[in-house]
Amino acid sequence: MSAPFSCHRRRFLQWVGGALVWLGLERLATDRRVAAATRGPESDYAWAVLVDLTRCTGCNRCALACKTANRLPNPEQVPTGLDSGAYSFVAEYKVAGDSADAASVFVKRQCMHCLHPACASACTVGALRKTAEGPVVYDAAKCIGCRYCQYACPFGVPTYDWQNPLGLIHKCELCRERLAENEKPACVDACPTGALQFGRRRDLLRQARARIRSNPDRYVAHIYGEHEAGGTSVLYLSSVPFADLGFPALPDAAVPEVAEAVMKQTPTVAFTVATLATALHFVMKRRTAANHH
Ligand code: SF4
Ligand code: SF4
Ligand code: SF4
């Protein structure tokens, strides 16, 4: 009578042991993936964009060119926010100047292509990663739709396509396909005023510093993105404090470090949810593969 029970128990213990080993290996692999995904570029030679808000007229050509380049719907319609149909938009802020009338400052927004991206750090399956060339890129084939990246991003960039049950996250990838063809990002190409400039991060920082030095009345002495959240590949110059334009005041520490500190406080919950999501992903993948055969 007890033999089958022992047998079952042995099998159960073997299964649990196997599951624990798998969980341990998965955890190790996840840690390695996170480390690889969030590693910043080796040098400041990575590509970047400098946005000079003092030169932006709010014409929206960048945002429309972005839609066309990414083959997004309604390419003629000016976007008013980030969503699965718009990876960039231009926001207008009224700021009080010397005159009685408030002046407009236009702010082009898109992914900041952080040097140590929190989105990639939060992604348990390596669907987001920072490339050595600069762009933070997304792999829809790996994404399980958990939306951790959305919660982690300090700039509110990744958006989720609720209309599509499979998916998925949408965001600017710094026109990675165009970069591979030695072309500038579409938004930079379309800007008629020179408000957007494409180049190596190090060179753009040098230029930004020179502009502030030679025009101290035109610019606030702050290059947004030089240090915020560990640095970003999209840098901004402005005539008014960035706090007045909705830019978050972030510490110089990379956000993944902050996120990891929080994760460490809830390792079991975070790990369990991530593991279940990963397991579900593989089950779905197997089923999809089986249906195709
Ligand atoms: S801005 Fe957000 S989505 Fe873009 S790289 Fe940084 S953390 Fe990721
Ligand atoms: S780099 Fe490309 S995807 Fe990103 S905002 Fe510009 S045009 Fe859009
Ligand atoms: S195309 Fe240039 S000037 Fe026009 S809204 Fe975009 S950044 Fe501003």
Side-chain angles (χ1 to χ4, degrees):
M1 287 295 284
S2 64
F5 176 73
S6 314
C7 185
H8 283 148
R9 197 173 56 176
R10 199 166 47 242
R11 272 206 203 130
F12 175 71
L13 289 175
Q14 277 171 347
W15 185 87
V16 169
L20 286 174
V21 169
W22 182 80
L23 288 177
L25 289 174
E26 175 60 22
R27 174 75 216 218
L28 206 65
T30 300
D31 285 350
R32 285 206 181 135
R33 244 184 339 251
V34 166
T38 58
R39 199 182 302 130
E42 294 304 319
S43 75
D44 280 342
Y45 283 105
W47 294 119
V49 174
L50 175 62
V51 186
D52 187 335
L53 299 180
T54 69
R55 298 184 183 188
C56 179
T57 58
C59 70
N60 272 296
R61 288 203 205 166
C62 53
L64 294 177
C66 175
K67 278 187 161 190
T68 303
N70 289 289
R71 296 177 281 278
L72 297 174
N74 307 317
E76 310 290 318
Q77 202 176 310
V78 171
T80 53
L82 298 180
D83 57 44
S84 57
Y87 300 170
S88 175
F89 78 106
V90 181
E92 181 177 1
Y93 289 83
K94 295 282 184 195
V95 289
D98 293 338
S99 64
D101 296 331
S104 284
V105 175
F106 298 97
V107 182
K108 178 189 183 295
R109 299 218 184 258
Q110 70 297 299
C111 174
M112 298 290 282
H113 297 281
C114 307
L115 302 191
H116 305 277
C119 58
S121 179
C123 180
T124 57
V125 292
L128 287 153
R129 72 187 164 87
K130 177 77 176 173
T131 60
E133 295 77 27
V136 173
V137 298
Y138 170 67
D139 184 347
K142 289 184 180 167
C143 181
I144 56 174
C146 66
R147 302 194 292 124
Y148 282 7
C149 54
Q150 276 194 300
Y151 304 127
C153 173
F155 300 102
V157 168
T159 59
Y160 188 71
D161 184 359
W162 291 101
Q163 305 304 318
N164 182 346
L166 292 177
L168 309 173
I169 292 297
H170 290 261
K171 74 166 203 75
C172 153
E173 294 186 289
L174 203 58
C175 281
R176 63 194 285 199
E177 289 170 12
R178 289 175 63 99
L179 299 198
E181 300 290 325
N182 291 322
E183 288 179 75
K184 290 178 189 174
C187 54
V188 177
D189 229 10
C191 178
T193 66
L196 305 178
Q197 214 170 333
F198 178 68
R200 305 283 180 193
R201 188 173 187 269
R202 199 170 81 160
D203 298 338
L204 293 180
L205 277 171
R206 234 185 246 145
Q207 278 190 41
R209 283 189 206 111
R211 278 188 213 173
I212 293 173
R213 247 195 328 269
S214 52
N215 294 287
D217 297 337
R218 185 181 174 104
Y219 298 104
V220 291
H222 182 179
I223 305 167
Y224 191 94
E226 181 176 13
H227 301 297
E228 278 82 5
T232 59
S233 298
V234 180
L235 305 160
Y236 286 85
L237 283 175
S238 170
S239 58
V240 295
F242 288 101
D244 296 350
L245 303 173
F247 284 78
L250 296 170
D252 290 356
V255 176
E257 288 169 22
V258 179
E260 275 158 24
V262 174
M263 291 284 273
K264 269 182 195 146
Q265 286 176 23
T266 54
T268 316
V269 175
F271 180 43
T272 307
V273 172
T275 306
L276 285 174
T278 307
L280 190 66
H281 170 63
F282 285 121
V283 170
M284 296 295 286
K285 225 175 167 185
R286 268 175 105 170
R287 279 201 187 153
T288 312
N291 289 340
H292 279 105
H293 283 108

